[in-house]
Amino acid sequence: MLLSPVLRCTAALALAAAGLALPTSAQAAATDHYLDCSATTGGNGTEASPWNSLAVADATVLGPGDRLLLKRGATCHGTLAPKGSGAPGAPITLAPYGPGTARPVVAGDPATGENAAVHLDDLEQWEIRGIEITFQDTAATRRERNGLLVEISDLPDGTGSHYLVDDVYVHDVNGDATKWSNGIQFRVSGTTVPTSFDDVTVRNSRISHVDREGLTNRSTWMCRPAYGSGDGCGSTVNWRPSTRLVFRGNTLDDIGGDGIVVRAADHALVEGNTAYDLAARPMGSNAGIWTINSDHTTVQGNEVHHVHRLPDNNDGTAFDSDYGNTGALFQYNDSHDNEGGFMLFCGACGAGSRSTGTVVRYNLSRGDRSRWLFAVGEQDARMYHNTVYLPAGSTTAIIQQGSGTSTTALSGNLFVNLGSGGYTGFGGNPFRAADFSWQANARYGNHPANEPADPAGVSADPRLVNPGGSTPADYALAAGSPARAAGVPVPDNGGRDWFGAAVPQSCRPDIGFQQASSFDDGACAAASRAVNGGFETGSLTPWTWYGGARVDSAEPHTGGYAARVGPAPAAVEQVVAVEPGTTYRLAGWGKVSATGTELSLGVKQYDSAGSTTRAAFTGTGYSYGSTLFTTGPGATTARIYCYARSGTGTGLCDDVTVTRA
């Protein structure tokens, strides 16, 4: 157990009374302890006379800076459950010793009744390097089994800090079909003191032939409204996320269920992992890498392939933004040959649950099956600049839609669909085209009858370098591709493409996951036709207005001011100069003060037909919106407006621009 602040204070007072100073971690003497389970006799734990029993090692309380060193090539049977915690700057280390390259092995033994081969229980400040872990169980009835289980519960200060797992090999962990069985898991238990992990890194490790899950975290402190009734939460609210959680550069293969799962975390990072042959055995619905009930998880630079979709598995996708998430980001990933498809949105998969703001960008999906996107609920998702290749004979749907509403904007994506798949429902649910907006995507090949409209889209052959090839470079844009400079600028676009090249902020980008064309943003950033579009003069002029409208200094998007309109009906309007027969983009940022209120940023009076177009805002946080309009042959002006359209709240508009598209 961790030493509580009260006990630390008591120890300090006792030492002071004796005229002694409390040693710092740097001053404390660190000790190396040696364990060789192949030794015929037990020693005193030195290199010359090592211990030969896990029981002796488990009975020793380790301190800051200590190292527990296991003999290379030797196997210890049972559970390694050490005692003692390190200190900041002086962690305890578990690592190999001795000549050669063979790893020391800790092999869990079912006869002990333990559920993990290596179990760190209420410890912190630990680093584990270079060892091998296995837990084979041939019993006909499976039970919980873990390779490495790091578990904390009801800690006095509520936080378990600093865990590094580096170059560890976990294999043949024969657990049951529950999600408590893992290769490596960081688990928060307990129900008394809100507790979480901070500073967890698992890197450069391999997890192979494990049931059910590969590399995960979980927590009993996970209830919040966005999670609905998941795990029996009901009306309980006790969400305490783990922080600085990093899973980097690991390889996972032959996993019975899920590969990597992030749960109840804030700003977790999953990057540079390779995961394949997942959901390999019937164990319910599983996916390759996914996040649930977490805020701002980033999943980037991973390769996921050959995730299976078994008869008991509706998922089988490479990636999944599950329910209870806010702002999940999936970028720069390579997905191929996954039986369930590329991406799952499952924000409405739990009763009363929701996920909001998932972004999917600059990913490559090649030869994925079933569907590219399986949409079962998501609020305000954005999917842009992804490249998708479906070969001849494919029946993969572009989008398959389940029961939940999936509000999703698709922009600048490149689809080469040489198969027969299109847009379908799932489980008796229809495909609802109104859930999805399309802007400047390239769709080549199959065009089903219900393909959604994309007036600014490209349908010609995008001329990939080597479509059907085995490397991401094969899906780059060849010279003369009609997808070059055919996209539309995306705000907050990440700054680079899949290959690391810069992407335009003002110029029209290439469609797909690669920016092949050169560009000059300075030359493309034409002056906005809107005057005082940021309201930074501190007044509405030259905007005109009716109803409740004023400048607002309390909640600008940028600068010092925004325009506030409402309650409905109320608006600010401005007449802008335009050229005839020209396409423009009206863009800006907006939000509303209360749910149920709708704010419109729109344009009218730009052609003789009386056309109008607008972007709508219904969220209480600022979001970007834009719309294209093409002026009539005699038009020289257009009227733009910010309009509180409905509801009892007010709306805010800021940073309004009108530029040539």
Side-chain angles (χ1 to χ4, degrees):
M1 297 291 291
L2 303 182
L3 193 62
S4 72
V6 172
L7 291 177
R8 291 190 187 111
C9 183
T10 301
L13 290 173
L15 287 170
L20 300 174
L22 182 66
T24 66
S25 59
Q27 295 169 331
T31 304
D32 287 348
H33 304 275
Y34 294 84
L35 173 61
D36 177 6
C37 288
S38 67
T40 56
T41 59
N44 59 11
T46 62
E47 184 173 9
S49 180
W51 298 326
N52 71 341
S53 165
L54 285 176
V56 176
D58 289 349
T60 302
V61 179
L62 305 175
D66 285 0
R67 297 193 303 167
L68 177 57
L69 304 174
L70 278 57
K71 180 68 177 293
R72 290 188 180 276
T75 299
C76 295
H77 294 275
T79 294
L80 175 59
K83 295 180 176 63
S85 291
I92 296 171
T93 300
L94 174 63
Y97 82 95
T101 59
R103 296 174 184 267
V105 180
V106 179
D109 185 351
T112 65
E114 300 290 338
N115 61 13
V118 178
H119 189 186
L120 302 189
D121 189 12
D122 282 346
L123 309 180
E124 65 177 340
Q125 297 291 335
W126 269 79
E127 298 187 355
I128 302 176
R129 305 173 186 272
I131 69 169
E132 182 175 339
I133 303 171
T134 185
F135 200 151
Q136 299 186 50
D137 188 349
T138 59
T141 301
R142 296 286 186 91
R143 54 164 289 180
E144 179 189 343
R145 298 285 181 238
N146 294 278
L148 169 61
L149 175 61
V150 182
E151 186 172 12
I152 55 176
S153 62
D154 299 331
L155 298 182
D157 62 359
T159 305
S161 298
H162 186 70
Y163 304 85
L164 173 63
V165 179
D166 185 20
D167 186 30
V168 169
Y169 177 33
V170 180
H171 64 96
D172 294 287
V173 178
N174 307 124
D176 58 17
T178 71
K179 297 188 178 185
W180 297 92
S181 291
N182 292 262
I184 298 175
Q185 185 175 91
F186 285 78
R187 180 184 301 175
V188 179
S189 303
T191 57
T192 303
V193 180
T195 302
S196 60
F197 286 105
D198 177 66
D199 187 16
V200 173
T201 299
V202 181
R203 69 188 185 196
N204 306 324
S205 296
R206 183 178 179 187
I207 302 173
S208 181
H209 192 62
V210 165
D211 291 335
R212 167 179 177 177
E213 296 187 316
L215 171 58
T216 76
N217 75 299
R218 68 180 305 130
S219 176
T220 52
W221 299 92
M222 74 301 189
C223 294
R224 58 175 176 168
Y227 197 49
S229 60
D231 289 305
C233 285
S235 60
T236 302
V237 177
N238 67 356
W239 191 72
R240 180 181 169 107
S242 291
T243 52
R244 294 196 291 170
L245 181 71
V246 178
F247 298 154
R248 176 184 289 127
N250 304 289
T251 299
L252 299 93
D253 69 284
D254 192 11
I255 309 298
D258 302 305
I260 298 176
V261 187
V262 172
R263 301 179 175 94
D266 182 27
H267 284 86
L269 176 62
V270 182
E271 69 174 358
N273 302 282
T274 300
Y276 62 95
D277 195 15
L278 311 177
R281 289 167 282 283
M283 290 190 169
S285 296
N286 301 280
I289 299 177
W290 56 286
T291 181
I292 183 171
N293 196 20
S294 297
D295 286 350
H296 306 291
T297 302
T298 296
V299 179
Q300 64 182 16
N302 305 282
E303 181 182 4
V304 179
H305 60 94
H306 293 93
V307 179
H308 301 281
R309 186 185 177 194
L310 300 171
D312 69 336
N313 185 348
N314 288 330
D315 298 358
T317 54
F319 303 101
D320 168 21
S321 180
D322 220 275
Y323 58 93
N325 288 322
T326 302
L329 173 62
F330 296 80
Q331 61 183 1
Y332 313 122
N333 298 292
D334 182 10
S335 168
H336 60 93
D337 302 293
N338 297 293
E339 293 180 5
F342 164 63
M343 190 75 211
L344 167 62
F345 287 164
C346 212
C349 288
S353 65
R354 65 180 185 275
S355 285
T356 304
T358 297
V359 172
V360 182
R361 64 188 183 191
Y362 306 112
N363 300 284
L364 173 63
S365 168
R366 45 193 175 100
D368 286 325
R369 305 176 199 172
S370 297
R371 55 266 160 141
W372 175 67
L373 170 63
F374 186 22
V376 195
E378 169 68 29
Q379 299 178 17
D380 299 322
R382 293 190 297 152
M383 305 183 77
Y384 58 87
H385 290 290
N386 302 286
T387 291
V388 184
Y389 176 79
L390 301 174
S394 167
T395 59
T396 300
I398 301 300
I399 299 175
Q400 186 176 74
Q401 191 166 17
S403 57
T405 299
S406 298
T407 309
T408 307
L410 297 102
S411 173
N413 301 292
L414 190 159
F415 299 91
V416 174
N417 183 6
L418 305 183
S420 58
Y423 306 85
T424 66
F426 176 79
N429 298 284
F431 172 70
R432 298 181 298 279
D435 281 5
F436 306 92
S437 64
W438 298 78
Q439 187 176 39
N441 300 275
R443 297 181 294 193
Y444 172 69
N446 182 40
H447 295 281
N450 68 338
E451 181 176 76
D454 187 349
V458 173
S459 60
D461 183 349
R463 298 183 61 184
L464 302 181
V465 169
N466 182 30
S470 60
T471 70
D474 290 319
Y475 299 86
L477 300 176
S481 168
R484 293 192 177 210
V488 293
V490 176
D492 302 321
N493 62 10
R496 63 180 181 89
D497 71 359
W498 195 96
F499 298 95
V503 295
Q505 304 299 315
S506 300
C507 293
R508 299 189 69 174
D510 295 349
I511 294 176
F513 80 141
Q514 181 215 17
Q515 178 63 35
S517 304
S518 59
F519 58 90
D520 181 354
D521 271 331
C524 293
S528 171
R529 302 302 175 97
V531 180
N532 195 25
F535 306 97
E536 292 307 302
T537 64
S539 73
L540 293 177
T541 306
W543 299 79
T544 59
W545 61 92
Y546 63 85
R550 66 184 188 277
V551 290
D552 184 286
S553 60
E555 298 181 75
H557 173 250
T558 61
Y561 298 95
R564 185 180 292 274
V565 294
V572 294
E573 297 184 347
Q574 181 181 155
V575 175
V576 298
V578 295
E579 282 77 44
T582 304
T583 299
Y584 292 89
R585 175 179 302 282
L586 169 65
W589 294 80
K591 69 174 184 175
V592 297
S593 65
T595 301
T597 300
E598 182 176 323
L599 176 74
S600 293
L601 176 63
V603 57
K604 57 188 176 180
Q605 299 173 9
Y606 55 84
D607 63 14
S608 60
S611 303
T612 63
T613 184
R614 66 189 180 93
F617 304 93
T618 57
T620 55
Y622 271 112
S623 62
Y624 175 85
S626 69
T627 186
L628 295 173
F629 66 98
T630 301
T631 57
T636 58
T637 62
R639 184 178 293 270
I640 62 174
Y641 58 85
C642 179
Y643 172 45
R645 187 167 182 265
S646 62
T648 59
T650 61
L652 283 159
C653 285
D654 202 359
D655 299 325
V656 178
T657 60
V658 177
T659 55
R660 290 177 65 118

